[in-house]
Amino acid sequence: MTDPSFFDVVLQQRACREFDPDPVPDEDIERILDAATHAPSGENTQPWVFVVVRDPEVRAELVALTLRLWAMARADAMARLDPKLGAEVDDGMRQGYSGAPVLVVVGADTATGVHPKATPSSIFPAVQNLLLAANALGYGSALTTLTTAAADELRTIVDLPPEVIPMAVVPLGRPARRLGRPRRRPARETTHRDRFGRPW
């Protein structure tokens, strides 16, 4: 038996790049992170670590790092992206990101014994659960990995120990405007029957 509300949440999930400044209550953050921790992980190592950043000074440091990295990556990203999406991402990085009342730094604790090759596949399902749970509660969020390019600086800002690898930062808050449905190709366009090249 399926719960149609699950499909509503999944099919409406999209990146939010503009946030209301309203605070996110602890209870909602706990529900979201509880959902995140119910994701699968390699050999059930559960290597995820979450640092929930609401302190204005720490958030400002994370935003400054993100903007500095975006300034270096912007030209390459804008050359690859559709102009409309590029403008949305650029505006979101320059203005919207800094308005998120919560930034969740997601790390992988290597002391859990997670195999290095399994680290991403043991972390990103938890991040996906986090994004979906946020959406289910009416919050906007986005998966960002730009700051992991400066992992040591990111680690220093939130005091991550050496064994914890920064993997993502998720801005979280109420969307400043209603989010439309995400633009996705139909699944049948990327699905093959039995062998690649045989249409579904």
Side-chain angles (χ1 to χ4, degrees), residues 112-196:
T112 60
V114 63
H115 191 281
K117 289 185 177 178
T119 301
S121 61
S122 295
I123 291 296
F124 289 113
V127 175
Q128 176 73 349
N129 277 13
L130 189 164
L131 301 174
L132 291 171
N135 187 24
L137 293 179
Y139 292 101
S141 61
L143 166 60
T144 73
T145 58
L146 181 63
T147 49
T148 63
D152 288 340
E153 291 181 70
L154 177 54
R155 180 181 282 112
T156 298
I157 291 170
V158 295
D159 292 334
L160 292 179
E163 66 273 13
V164 176
I165 303 168
M167 298 292 290
V169 179
V170 177
L172 180 65
R174 295 283 181 201
R177 58 182 175 78
R178 188 177 180 280
L179 299 174
R181 290 180 71 93
R183 297 179 291 274
R184 295 290 185 267
R185 288 185 289 165
R188 67 180 175 274
E189 290 184 10
T190 56
T191 305
H192 308 265
R193 192 179 297 275
D194 298 320
R195 297 178 187 275
F196 187 87

Side-chain angles (χ1 to χ4, degrees), residues 18-22 59 63 92 95-102 172-174:
E18 190 179 353
F19 299 89
D20 268 348
D22 299 340
R59 276 178 46 235
V63 168
Q95 297 176 29
Y97 187 88
S98 62
V102 175
L172 180 65
R174 295 283 181 201

